[in-house]
Amino acid sequence: MRRIIIYNLPMVPRVILAGIFSFIFLILSAIVTDPAFGIRLTYVKHLFDITHDFSQPSDVSVSKDGHIYVVDGVNNVIKVFNQSGKFVYSFGSKGPLNGQFKFPLGIDVSSSGKVYVADSGNHRIQIFGPTGNYLNQIKLHSKIKPADPTDVAANESLNRLYVADNDNHYILVYDLSNMQLLQTLGAPGIEEREFRYPFQLAFDNHKYIYITDVVNTRVQVFNPDGQFVTVIGGWGVEKGQFFRPKGVAVDKNNRVYVSDSYMGVIQVFKNNGEFYSAIGDPEKNSVKKFVTPAGLFIDNNLLFVVEMFADKISVYKIAGDTE
C-alpha cells in the first residue's frame, strides 16, 4: 500500500501526542460547527455517491462531456463513470510500463480531453486520451529526492503543465509542446513562495494556480507566469484556518474551496484570501462533516468530494448561501 507520511514531530510520548491531537480536534470541531460563531454556510444538496471497490481514492476530475475520472491509487487504476455515477470503464494496472501505475495520486482532464495522471511511485506524469489510451509521459526532474508527484494541472492555452512535487517541496512547470522543464516554483520552507509538502492544484478563471501547502497549513496562489500573489488561510482554530488542507477547487465566481482532511470540513474563500463560508448541511443547518475529504472538483454548480477513508466520491449540488 501507499506509504503514510508521518511528518517529523518533537520527541513526545505517543500517548501525550494523541491527547494533544484529540483536544485540538475537539476545539476545532466546536468552532467550525457551533452556530453561535455566526459562520455563513454554503449549502450543498446531496445527489449521489460513487462507490466501486475503491481503496483510498485521492482525486477526481470531470471532462467536458461529463465523464468522472477517479484516481483509485492503492488499486493502481483510473476508474471512469458517467454523469449519473455509473461505472463505464477503467484503465491501468500496477507496474512501471507505459499505461501502468505505482500509487497514482492526482489527475487533471484538460479542455481538450487529455487525461494527465500524477504517477507518484513511478516519479512521472502520464498522459492519456479520453478513453485511457496511452499517449506520452514526462519523467520528472529532481534535484535531491526522487520526484513525488501528488497532483498535476494542465494549462493547454499557455502550453504549461504544473506538477506538485510533494517530497521536494516545489512546483515543477513544464512546456507541453516539448515536455521540457520551464521553471521551478518554490523551495522548502515556511515563507511566501516556499512549501512544506505541496499536495493539490487548481486553476481559477484567469488561470491563476492555487496550491495546498499541507504542513504550512495554507493555500498559496501564483499567477500564470509563476509570480506569487497571495496566501489563503493559516494554522489555527478559527474560521478561515486549517489543520491539514488537502484538496482545492475554484468555482465560476472564483471562490476557492479547500478541504481539511483532518477536520473533515470544506471552507470557501474569496480569491483575495478572505474567508467566505463553510460548506453546510441544509437539513441540520450546520457545517457539513465529511470523512477525510481530499480531492475536490467543481463542474458548474456540482461539487465532487473524494472522501478518502470512506472509499467514495460524494456528489453535491451547490445550493446557495445563508446570510
Side-chain angles (χ1 to χ4, degrees):
M1 293 179 63
R2 167 80 180 174
R3 67 195 184 282
I4 298 174
I5 298 174
I6 301 176
Y7 301 106
N8 290 331
L9 295 168
M11 294 301 293
V12 179
R14 291 184 181 181
V15 65
I16 296 177
L17 282 176
I20 291 170
F21 286 147
S22 296
F23 178 70
I24 291 172
F25 179 79
L26 289 172
I27 294 174
L28 286 166
S29 295
I31 286 176
V32 299
T33 59
D34 190 339
F37 283 87
I39 293 176
R40 178 193 285 117
L41 300 177
T42 295
Y43 287 135
V44 292
K45 179 182 178 181
H46 182 257
L47 298 178
F48 58 89
D49 292 329
I50 300 174
T51 57
H52 198 274
D53 296 322
F54 294 127
S55 182
Q56 297 181 32
S58 54
D59 202 10
V60 60
S61 189
V62 180
S63 66
K64 290 182 99 174
D65 63 2
H67 280 87
I68 304 163
Y69 292 73
V70 178
V71 180
D72 190 3
V74 175
N75 289 323
N76 297 291
V77 67
I78 307 299
K79 294 178 178 177
V80 185
F81 303 82
N82 67 15
Q83 293 174 323
S84 301
K86 182 179 179 180
F87 177 75
V88 181
Y89 62 90
S90 64
F91 58 93
S93 60
K94 185 175 182 179
L97 303 178
N98 294 347
Q100 294 184 320
F101 302 110
K102 185 177 180 182
F103 303 120
L105 281 170
I107 192 168
D108 184 36
V109 182
S110 71
S111 57
S112 70
K114 289 182 179 178
V115 182
Y116 298 82
V117 179
D119 187 6
S120 177
N122 285 320
H123 318 297
R124 63 185 177 181
I125 301 299
Q126 293 201 71
I127 307 170
F128 300 86
T131 59
N133 52 305
Y134 172 83
L135 298 177
N136 207 339
Q137 67 176 291
I138 301 174
K139 283 288 189 180
L140 297 176
H141 173 85
S142 176
K143 293 179 180 178
I144 303 173
K145 299 179 181 179
D148 180 27
T150 53
D151 202 14
V152 57
N155 180 349
E156 292 182 335
S157 62
L158 291 179
N159 276 323
R160 290 179 181 171
L161 187 75
Y162 298 80
V163 180
D165 187 340
N166 187 263
D167 281 356
N168 288 297
H169 313 287
Y170 50 50
I171 307 301
L172 301 168
V173 186
Y174 284 86
D175 187 332
L176 280 173
S177 62
N178 58 20
M179 307 299 181
Q180 297 300 306
L181 183 67
L182 287 173
Q183 63 181 139
T184 300
L185 305 180
I190 62 174
E191 304 300 328
E192 294 177 351
R193 198 183 162 88
E194 295 179 340
F195 298 97
R196 289 194 294 168
Y197 300 98
F199 193 69
Q200 292 203 329
L201 312 170
F203 292 122
D204 67 12
N205 295 336
H206 305 292
K207 296 301 182 182
Y208 281 53
I209 190 160
Y210 297 73
I211 305 158
T212 52
D213 187 5
V214 176
V215 176
N216 286 329
T217 59
R218 62 190 180 185
V219 173
Q220 293 201 62
V221 187
F222 293 76
N223 72 14
D225 294 322
Q227 299 299 310
F228 172 81
V229 176
T230 192
V231 163
I232 296 173
W235 192 91
V237 297
E238 299 180 359
K239 64 184 182 182
Q241 299 175 327
F242 306 117
F243 195 86
R244 279 294 180 268
K246 285 293 178 66
V248 60
V250 186
D251 69 14
K252 60 186 177 182
N253 297 313
N254 283 331
R255 290 180 183 148
V256 185
Y257 294 60
V258 184
S259 63
D260 190 316
S261 63
Y262 188 84
M263 283 305 305
V265 299
I266 298 172
Q267 297 187 69
V268 186
F269 298 81
K270 296 180 181 180
N271 62 355
N272 64 1
E274 179 184 344
F275 174 82
Y276 180 76
S277 67
I279 294 298
D281 184 337
E283 295 183 0
K284 297 180 179 179
N285 193 32
S286 64
V287 173
K288 186 167 185 61
K289 299 303 290 289
F290 301 86
V291 180
T292 323
L296 302 177
F297 190 87
I298 295 176
D299 181 27
N300 293 316
N301 67 337
L302 297 181
L303 172 65
F304 297 78
V305 182
V306 178
E307 296 191 71
M308 179 179 281
F309 290 162
D311 292 324
K312 68 179 181 179
I313 287 74
S314 303
V315 184
Y316 299 88
K317 179 180 179 181
I318 302 172
D321 303 328
T322 60
E323 293 299 327

